[in-house]
Amino acid sequence: MGRSSKDKRDIYYRLAKEQGWRARSAFKLLQLEQRFRLFQGVHRAVDLCAAPGSWSQVLSRNLRGSAEGPPQVVAVDLQAMAPLPGVLQIQGDITKASTVQQIQRHFEGHSADLVVCDGAPDVTGLHDLDEYIQAQLLLAALTITTHVLKKGGTFVAKIFRGKDVTLLYAQLRLFFPSVTCAKPRSSRNSSIEAFVVCRGYSPPAGFEPSMDSPLLHGDLALAPPSGPSRVLVPFVACGDLSAYDPDRNYPLELDPHRPYRFLPPPAPPIAPPYARARSRRRQRPGGGDMDWIHPSINRIPDAWPPFTAIGRERCQSPRCGL
Ligand code: SAM
């Protein structure tokens, strides 16, 4: 497989490299912004699960300063990220109280206008488990949001539209009067990934943010709503219909006036979880590069070949947005 084959198969991956975005996900946030005007009046933003940093790039390039000073963007991820101008980076876990404290310290007592989260757990391939872990990550993002978002603020997060998604919608609706599920054009149709756009943060009366206990407990706990009490939210496809189809292959020569040139990724991962596997592969007789290993794989079993070998550059799981 040639090094340009991924450029043919993944148009947004190629465009991201051409436009200097660290990941193809940048287009998802840009298309959400196009539809929802998320950045209007936003001076302070938090990017949860930010590595390698394309959403932080979008935020830092699009937010405007205020009379108080330039815009402030805080990016949090478990993994290290290469520095980005105008972005404060926290290498930490979004489920930890220490992460909340670091964000609050940076904002010096002010609250954020916008919190975004493109968090994705390591995909196991067991769909029910993956959906469950994704839902937990979303709830962790919502929990941290309750500590740092100002009243009236906006929360945007990745969601898997699995069978229990209405429970998540119900929980989000407790905190936000407006919840919309949006599918940007650059998100593959074959993936159950979508994004919730939650506006007008307004926690229920008596709600005390806490990192020690599950988000909804005691009187605020919700039974899974069913029948007529099921919470439904509007679904919006966003991104111009003339935009590229992420599930299609495109020729390398998109524009006859601009010859194709292979570009390396602008910011390769600093310490990718698959680095150990790559070095082991190189040590094997006839071993080549391991770029095709799924980025979610952070533990390679001792027996080789790994059960997770995908053999393609793109994950084939219909559930995975990567
Ligand atoms: N939005 C990013 C961008 O545009 O570059 C891509 C995010 S990537 C799809 C998902 C990220 O979630 C990974 O970098 C992973 O480390 C992070 N993540 C998963 N669980 C996390 C947690 N508990 N705390 C912080 N980050 C987490």
Side-chain angles (χ1 to χ4, degrees), residues 22-23 25-26 47 49-55 76-79 92-95 118-121 137 158 322:
R22 290 183 177 184
S25 343
D47 182 6
C49 303
S54 77
W55 280 29
V76 181
D77 202 287
L78 289 171
Q79 298 180 43
D93 187 335
I94 65 163
T95 64
D118 187 25
L137 201 57
K158 192 201 299 272
L322 294 167

Side-chain angles (χ1 to χ4, degrees), residues 76-146:
V76 181
D77 202 287
L78 289 171
Q79 298 180 43
M81 259 167 70
L84 272 174
V87 177
L88 177 102
Q89 293 177 19
I90 298 171
Q91 189 172 356
D93 187 335
I94 65 163
T95 64
K96 296 278 189 297
S98 55
T99 306
V100 178
Q101 287 153 10
Q102 287 183 71
I103 298 173
Q104 287 172 332
R105 221 174 297 136
H106 181 65
F107 286 151
E108 296 173 335
H110 296 282
S111 301
D113 308 296
L114 171 70
V115 178
V116 296
C117 176
D118 187 25
D122 289 354
V123 176
T124 64
L126 301 171
H127 297 158
D128 285 348
L129 183 62
D130 290 339
E131 277 169 36
Y132 176 79
I133 301 173
Q134 170 64 28
Q136 294 308 304
L137 201 57
L138 190 150
L139 290 177
L142 177 59
T143 304
I144 211 167
T145 297
T146 61

Side-chain angles (χ1 to χ4, degrees), residues 2-322:
R3 64 179 187 166
S4 61
S5 70
K6 188 163 180 185
D7 284 353
K8 266 191 223 155
R9 284 186 291 108
D10 191 339
I11 185 72
Y12 286 101
Y13 168 80
R14 191 193 329 169
L15 292 176
K17 291 191 298 173
E18 284 176 12
Q19 296 177 20
W21 303 115
R22 290 183 177 184
R24 66 191 299 292
S25 343
F27 294 103
K28 300 175 191 169
L29 186 57
L30 288 167
Q31 289 167 351
L32 290 168
E33 155 62 9
Q34 231 175 38
R35 173 65 180 75
F36 294 95
R37 297 280 163 240
L38 302 169
F39 302 155
Q40 259 171 21
V42 171
H43 308 303
R44 291 184 190 85
V46 180
D47 182 6
L48 300 173
C49 303
S54 77
W55 280 29
S56 294
Q57 284 181 296
V58 170
L59 290 170
S60 67
R61 288 188 200 177
N62 286 279
L63 298 191
R64 308 235 173 283
S66 67
E68 298 162 41
Q72 290 180 292
V73 178
V74 177
V76 181
D77 202 287
L78 289 171
Q79 298 180 43
M81 259 167 70
L84 272 174
V87 177
L88 177 102
Q89 293 177 19
I90 298 171
Q91 189 172 356
D93 187 335
I94 65 163
T95 64
K96 296 278 189 297
S98 55
T99 306
V100 178
Q101 287 153 10
Q102 287 183 71
I103 298 173
Q104 287 172 332
R105 221 174 297 136
H106 181 65
F107 286 151
E108 296 173 335
H110 296 282
S111 301
D113 308 296
L114 171 70
V115 178
V116 296
C117 176
D118 187 25
D122 289 354
V123 176
T124 64
L126 301 171
H127 297 158
D128 285 348
L129 183 62
D130 290 339
E131 277 169 36
Y132 176 79
I133 301 173
Q134 170 64 28
Q136 294 308 304
L137 201 57
L138 190 150
L139 290 177
L142 177 59
T143 304
I144 211 167
T145 297
T146 61
H147 289 78
V148 299
L149 187 64
K150 73 170 190 195
K151 298 258 170 65
T154 302
F155 172 60
V156 176
K158 192 201 299 272
I159 191 166
F160 280 0
R161 284 176 304 143
K163 61 181 179 349
D164 293 324
V165 72
T166 52
L167 176 58
L168 285 176
Y169 292 153
Q171 295 185 325
L172 291 164
R173 278 281 289 276
L174 279 178
F175 293 87
F176 296 90
S178 161
V179 177
T180 303
C181 179
K183 179 84 173 169
R185 176 81 167 150
S186 52
S187 171
R188 295 191 178 93
N189 291 321
S190 49
S191 158
I192 58 166
E193 166 196 86
F195 294 85
V196 275
V197 177
C198 310
R199 314 197 85 155
Y201 177 56
S202 148
F207 175 76
E208 282 298 329
S210 162
M211 293 297 282
D212 300 332
S213 50
L215 189 66
L216 295 171
H217 50 96
D219 293 345
L220 295 171
L222 265 186
S226 58
S229 59
R230 203 164 146 238
V231 173
L232 296 175
V233 305
F235 180 82
V236 172
C238 56
D240 194 334
L241 277 186
S242 63
Y244 292 109
D245 176 350
D247 291 304
R248 251 193 67 188
N249 283 6
Y250 285 88
L252 290 175
E253 208 84 344
L254 280 177
D255 174 354
H257 304 294
R258 230 163 28 104
Y260 168 76
R261 194 163 57 90
F262 175 80
L263 294 171
I270 294 181
Y274 51 82
R276 191 167 69 87
R278 178 184 284 180
S279 73
R280 284 175 61 175
R281 165 84 176 184
R282 283 191 176 134
Q283 285 156 17
R284 273 164 44 87
D289 208 339
M290 285 271 297
D291 274 342
W292 46 265
I293 272 226
H294 191 286
S296 72
I297 298 168
N298 64 4
R299 192 182 66 81
I300 298 297
D302 290 335
W304 191 266
F307 63 90
T308 37
I310 292 164
R312 306 252 180 110
E313 283 175 317
R314 200 167 103 195
C315 179
Q316 298 303 295
S317 163
R319 309 267 152 166
C320 177
L322 294 167

